[in-house]
Amino acid sequence: MGQQDVWRLLSRFNSLKRANVILQHLRMSMHTEASEVLLERRGCAGVITLNRPKFLNALSLNMIRQIYPQLKKWEQDPETFLIIIKGAGGKAFCAGGDIKAISEAKNTRQNLTRDFFREEYILNNAIASCQKPYVALIDGITMGGGVGLSVHGRFRVATERSLFAMPETGIGLFPDVGGGYFLPRLQGKLGYFLALTGFRLKGRDVHRAGIATHFVDSEKLHKLEEELLALKSPAAEDIAGVLESYHAESKMDQDKSVIFEEHVDKINRCFSANTVEQIIENLRQDGSPFAIEQLKVISKMSPTSLKITLRQLLEGSSKTLQEVLTMEYRLTQACMFLLTKTRVQSGNQPI
């Protein structure tokens, strides 16, 4: 074998070695991405586990792209009778969309800001129209995108660890994922209050506000899930019966008054206006400690976001969910464009 043959073999070997290294990295990357969400067929159900506990199960585009097709498959599968979604780690169901990834994509003008919101809203609509009973175990932090994964489903189970909020007016956006649909349909003007202030609901109040359909002690969630999985060809009524029994059994914080109960009249009166300026004026005229506190909160929010949010809810109160999601998608793209334009004009400095 000549020297040229040896070099040729070495070159071929190195190429194969490099290719193998690249393949290993790809496999690791695919494994990492795939592990962000676990999709299992267990008993009579399809089970979705959001599996990013270190990031409070923040929703990524990769997760959306795994959940949506599996949801549609289970919906058509005659052996799947219900779908359960939950979060891993014990701290959060889902704390929202992956803001870091979206922000970085916005800064580099990538298509992620377009694809993420479009595909997220398609998933939200698929959950709302799902023909199989959909059970969301909203144990822990549930904000933004996590609300979109749960609130549109038929059954939403809160626990004493649940923490609900739509904090988008504080980050220059608006309460999306169908917020324009479900928020104005809450009792009185509660949804307007939650949307504009980002007020946090905790524990049983998540159920009392109408965000959750049932309340169960967190220590009973595993037992509840196992009982649901063990059902034999259950109808929606059978699933509802199991959830009702656990809900009735829970006595935790049952006698505790609703956190916003004493302020319901103020909320309905002050947040019934059609302009942000009038809401602020209503709060000033009220002058109570509660009203003053809400003025302080609102003063820290993005003025543009406040105006967009109020108009979004007023418009959404008479629209279908699909119409609202279409409206919200257009709004997200307009907001992303404005944020990018502002950042470019400011020399790419944080805004």
Side-chain angles (χ1 to χ4, degrees):
M1 182 182 290
Q3 189 174 9
Q4 286 186 341
D5 294 326
V6 172
W7 282 113
R8 194 178 294 115
L9 283 171
L10 284 172
S11 177
R12 195 173 293 174
F13 173 76
N14 287 332
S15 296
L16 286 170
K17 188 176 180 181
R18 283 196 300 271
N20 188 50
V21 170
I22 291 169
L23 283 170
Q24 284 181 334
H25 279 295
L26 284 171
R27 290 192 193 103
M28 288 175 65
S29 176
M30 290 172 68
H31 175 73
T32 300
E33 290 184 351
S35 66
E36 290 182 341
V37 57
L38 307 178
L39 304 166
E40 307 169 276
R41 253 302 257 111
R42 296 175 54 200
C44 65
V47 181
I48 303 167
T49 305
L50 308 175
N51 194 37
R52 299 181 74 196
K54 289 183 179 179
F55 302 98
L56 300 178
N57 299 320
L59 186 65
S60 68
L61 181 57
N62 175 63
M63 295 165 74
I64 294 168
R65 287 177 171 173
Q66 291 184 69
I67 294 170
Y68 177 77
Q70 189 60 65
L71 180 70
K72 302 305 287 185
K73 286 180 182 177
W74 281 335
E75 190 176 15
Q76 300 301 319
D77 179 17
E79 298 302 314
T80 302
F81 293 89
L82 75 150
I83 296 165
I84 297 172
I85 185 167
K86 60 182 181 176
K91 291 185 178 180
F93 168 68
C94 173
D98 193 337
I99 296 297
K100 182 179 179 182
I102 295 170
S103 178
E104 289 173 353
K106 170 174 62 65
N107 296 341
T108 56
R109 299 185 180 183
Q110 295 177 19
N111 290 332
L112 178 61
T113 55
R114 180 191 66 199
D115 296 341
F116 178 87
F117 289 112
R118 186 185 71 245
E119 295 182 40
E120 180 184 26
Y121 298 171
I122 289 172
L123 175 57
N124 296 156
N125 186 65
I127 290 168
S129 60
C130 186
Q131 298 302 302
K132 300 290 175 70
Y134 183 94
V135 181
L137 305 179
I138 50 176
D139 181 36
I141 300 168
T142 305
M143 297 184 183
V147 176
L149 291 177
S150 55
V151 76
H152 303 300
R154 191 178 307 186
F155 303 112
R156 291 96 62 190
V157 182
T159 74
E160 77 279 2
R161 301 191 299 195
S162 296
L163 190 158
F164 164 92
M166 297 296 279
E168 288 81 1
T169 53
I171 58 173
L173 291 173
F174 57 91
D176 63 330
V177 297
Y181 179 80
F182 76 86
L183 286 167
R185 287 167 172 79
L186 296 180
Q187 54 189 281
K189 295 297 177 179
L190 177 61
Y192 291 80
F193 165 66
L194 295 174
L196 294 170
T197 65
F199 188 86
R200 297 183 173 192
L201 296 174
K202 299 178 182 179
R204 196 175 281 272
D205 286 343
V206 179
H207 170 255
R208 288 167 171 166
I211 303 299
T213 57
H214 299 82
F215 180 88
V216 174
D217 298 355
S218 60
E219 64 179 18
K220 299 289 183 64
L221 272 187
H222 179 71
K223 184 180 177 184
L224 168 63
E225 183 181 346
E226 292 301 313
E227 190 164 333
L228 289 172
L229 295 174
L231 293 171
K232 303 298 182 183
S233 305
E237 294 75 17
D238 301 317
I239 295 162
V242 172
L243 294 173
E244 287 292 343
S245 67
Y246 276 80
H247 175 77
E249 185 181 302
S250 175
K251 306 301 179 185
M252 186 177 293
D253 298 332
Q254 195 174 41
D255 299 325
K256 188 177 179 181
S257 61
V258 183
I259 192 168
F260 53 83
E261 188 174 38
E262 62 180 296
H263 307 300
V264 168
D265 290 341
K266 290 183 175 65
I267 290 171
N268 290 338
R269 184 172 61 255
C270 293
F271 287 84
S272 62
N274 291 332
T275 66
V276 173
E277 291 84 355
Q278 189 58 54
I279 289 174
I280 290 172
E281 182 58 30
N282 290 344
L283 290 168
R284 282 175 178 159
Q285 289 183 5
D286 182 278
S288 66
F290 172 79
I292 292 170
E293 179 61 29
Q294 303 322 307
L295 280 171
K296 289 179 183 178
V297 171
I298 287 175
S299 70
K300 298 175 184 177
M301 302 302 184
S302 161
T304 303
S305 290
L306 290 170
K307 286 179 173 288
I308 290 173
T309 296
L310 181 57
R311 178 67 181 275
Q312 170 205 6
L313 268 60
L314 290 170
E315 293 284 333
S317 64
S318 60
K319 292 182 182 293
T320 65
L321 176 60
Q322 286 188 352
E323 290 171 336
V324 166
L325 290 171
T326 300
M327 173 182 70
E328 290 178 355
Y329 175 71
R330 292 168 179 164
L331 284 171
T332 61
Q333 299 313 292
C335 288
M336 291 298 105
F337 173 77
L338 289 173
L339 287 171
T340 302
K341 185 178 179 181
T342 304
R343 186 177 286 269
V344 170
Q345 290 176 345
S346 63
N348 207 36
Q349 295 300 309
I351 59 174

